[in-house]
Structure formats: structure tokens, C-alpha cells
């Protein structure tokens, strides 16, 4: 973990099952916490069945998010220190109440959330060249989050019907002003709130007011190169939200 933070590529952790990967991540995460402080949220990945089948995992994987990983809308995001960075449209919700840990329905999840926010993740697939990308490996490294750009969101209280509105959410991902991908809420376990329900059932993370949850990819990964402008425009409940940034040296 210290080598990864210093800009080195990650070796093969020699894990062959997702359970072994989860055990290995405990030590990896502890070192990250010693350097970056306690987690501020959770990244959930592989929230679509098609991607799960592709990578060979039976369910989503998770990793902790730390404050230094999150940068504000409009940033010049330096790629210094990254090795193989990508970007993808994502979606974040912020927890408003600890009651979320008792939620069993979409409606209960929505009632315990503060807001929904636009988010473009910039993961760094920082593996050594001969290391194959597998589910257990990604579990061992907590899905390799590196940076993410977080925009101003919409309060759940401003949505007329949060459950229906999030189901109908759409996103338009743009590179240098041109649309390169579109996505919708159903790409996230068929409903964004179902990702939170799954996370709560796992019981591995304590969600509390202010915690952020990255719900997963709303499309494919794209290589991140210096000099490009990335934007994502969202529509939810008839309202617009957006986030954008420039990739810098």
C-alpha cells in the first residue's frame, strides 16, 4: 500500500478467491487509513450483472473512499502519481441518517439519504504489466480508487418521488464537449437504491451521516490523458446536475 501511494505499480497479491481478496484488503486498507485518515465513504463496483460475469465475480465488490481521493467540481485534476488512469461516469449518494443501517426497502433508503450527487471517478489500474486483472485481485486492492470529482447534488427532499426519480436517472458523459457515452439508473443493480440496500445487508461498513457511497459505473471506462476536459450531465426528477474537470499534468 505504501508503494502504491508512492507511485509504484501493484504486484500480484496471490489471492485466488474473493474471500482471500477481502482478507488481504484488511491489511491494505489499514495502511491507507494510517496515511489518509479514516474513510469518508464506500466505493461499490461491479454493480451490473454483465460486468460481474465478465470479471468473474458473483456480486459487487467494495473499497473504502478517503477524503484526499475526492476533489471538487471544476478542478484541474493532476494525473501526477497515477500509472494507468481512467475515468467513468458514476453516481454518489450522501447519507443523512444512521437509520440507513436499518433500511430494508428502497423507500427507507431514500428517507435516510441527504442527497444524490454527480460523480466522475478516476480509478488508477496500477498493476504491474504481468499481473492479470481478476475479481480476487480487485477485492484485495479495494477496487483501486484513486481520485473522483464530486459535483453539487440535489437534495432528496427536492425530488417528488425519490424512488421513481432515481430509477429514471440519466447521464451524458462528454469528452472535450462531445458525448462519448450515456447511462441510466437501471445500470446500477437495476436501481441505484438497491446498491445501498446490498451494501447495508453486507454489514461491512458503518454508514453514518455524511458518509458518501459511490454506487458504481454508469458506462465503460475511458483512458485519462492530460489536456482533456471531462464533463457529465445528469437528469433526475426533472432536475439537472453536472460535474466537470480538466485533466492536468
Amino acid at each position: 500500500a505504501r508503494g502504491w501511494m508512492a507511485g509504484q505499480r501493484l504486484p500480484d497479491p496471490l489471492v485466488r478467491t474473493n474471500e482471500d481478496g477481502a482478507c488481504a484488503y484488511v491489511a491494505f486498507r489499514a495502511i491507507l487509513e494510517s496515511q489518509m485518515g479514516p474513510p469518508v465513504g464506500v466505493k461499490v463496483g461491479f454493480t451490473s450483472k454483465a460486468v460481474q460475469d465478465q470479471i468473474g465475480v458473483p456480486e459487487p465488490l467494495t473499497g473504502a473512499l478517503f477524503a484526499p481521493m475526492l476533489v471538487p467540481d471544476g478542478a484541474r485534476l493532476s494525473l501526477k502519481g497515477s500509472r494507468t488512469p481512467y475515468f467513468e461516469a458514476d453516481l454518489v449518494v450522501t447519507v443523512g441518517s444512521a437509520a440507513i443501517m436499518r433500511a430494508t426497502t428502497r423507500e427507507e433508503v431514500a428517507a435516510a439519504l441527504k442527497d444524490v450527487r454527480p460523480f466522475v471517478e478516476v480509478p488508477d489500474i496500477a498493476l504491474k504489466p504481468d499481473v492479470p486483472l481478476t475479481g480476487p485481485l480487485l477485492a484485495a486492492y479495494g477496487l483501486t480508487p484513486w481520485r473522483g470529482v464530486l459535483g453539487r447534488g440535489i437534495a432528496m427532499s427536492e425530488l417528488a418521488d425519490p424512488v421513481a426519480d432515481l430509477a429514471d436517472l440519466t447521464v451524458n458523459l462528454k469528452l472535450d464537449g462531445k458525448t462519448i457515452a450515456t447511462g441510466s439508473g437501471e445500470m446500477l443493480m437495476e436501481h441505484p437504491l438497491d446498491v445501498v440496500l446490498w451494501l447495508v445487508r453486507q454489514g461491512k461498513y458503518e454508514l453514518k451521516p455524511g458518509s458518501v457511497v459511490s454506487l458504481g459505473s454508469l458506462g465503460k471506462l475511458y483512458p485519462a490523458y492530460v489536456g482533456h476536459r471531462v464533463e457529465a450531465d445528469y437528469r433526475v426528477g426533472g432536475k439537472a446536475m453536472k460535474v466537470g474537470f480538466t485533466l492536468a499534468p
Side-chain angles (χ1 to χ4, degrees):
R2 291 187 178 90
W4 176 77
M5 294 186 68
Q8 299 173 14
R9 288 188 173 273
L10 294 166
D12 190 335
L14 302 177
V15 291
R16 297 295 175 259
T17 68
N18 292 330
E19 291 75 17
D20 288 346
C23 288
Y25 181 59
V26 173
F28 188 82
R29 172 180 160 177
I31 295 174
L32 296 185
E33 287 191 33
S34 72
Q35 301 293 312
M36 293 191 284
V40 297
V42 187
K43 167 183 167 66
V44 186
F46 303 109
T47 49
S48 78
K49 187 65 169 63
V51 178
Q52 290 172 18
D53 291 343
Q54 181 181 356
I55 201 70
V57 295
E59 61 182 1
L61 299 175
T62 59
L65 291 174
F66 298 88
M69 295 177 172
L70 304 178
V71 298
D73 181 29
R76 283 180 55 82
L77 177 60
S78 173
L79 294 178
K80 182 179 180 180
S82 65
R83 288 124 297 200
T84 311
Y86 289 81
F87 67 89
E88 64 180 358
D90 201 310
L91 188 69
V92 154
V93 289
T94 308
V95 176
S97 167
I100 199 165
M101 296 303 297
R102 301 187 297 274
T104 59
T105 66
R106 293 172 179 173
E107 288 76 12
E108 289 173 349
V109 170
L113 292 176
K114 176 184 178 182
D115 59 22
V116 55
R117 302 180 68 179
F119 184 58
V120 174
E121 192 195 353
V122 184
D124 186 13
I125 313 299
L127 305 176
K128 290 187 175 180
D130 58 341
V131 177
L133 189 66
T134 67
L137 179 146
L138 288 168
Y141 291 133
L143 294 171
T144 69
W146 184 67
R147 298 288 185 274
V149 184
L150 194 55
R152 183 183 298 274
I154 296 171
M156 300 299 284
S157 60
E158 295 180 12
L159 298 176
D161 185 340
V163 174
D165 291 341
L166 286 169
D168 293 336
L169 175 142
T170 61
V171 61
N172 185 25
L173 182 64
K174 296 187 289 188
L175 182 65
D176 297 330
K178 297 181 180 179
T179 297
I180 57 173
T182 59
S184 61
E186 66 183 10
M187 299 172 76
L188 304 172
M189 292 186 75
E190 299 186 356
H191 195 291
L193 296 177
D194 288 353
V195 179
V196 184
L197 279 173
W198 175 87
L199 184 62
V200 168
R201 287 196 297 266
Q202 298 306 299
K204 296 179 181 178
Y205 291 87
E206 181 185 359
L207 302 178
K208 50 192 176 182
S211 296
V212 296
V213 182
S214 163
L215 301 179
S217 175
L218 288 165
K220 62 179 287 188
L221 286 167
Y222 293 89
Y225 298 116
V226 168
H228 291 292
R229 173 76 180 171
V230 178
E231 297 167 291
D233 297 329
Y234 297 72
R235 296 287 299 179
V236 56
K239 301 178 184 296
M241 59 182 187
K242 64 181 180 178
V243 64
F245 58 99
T246 300
L247 295 165

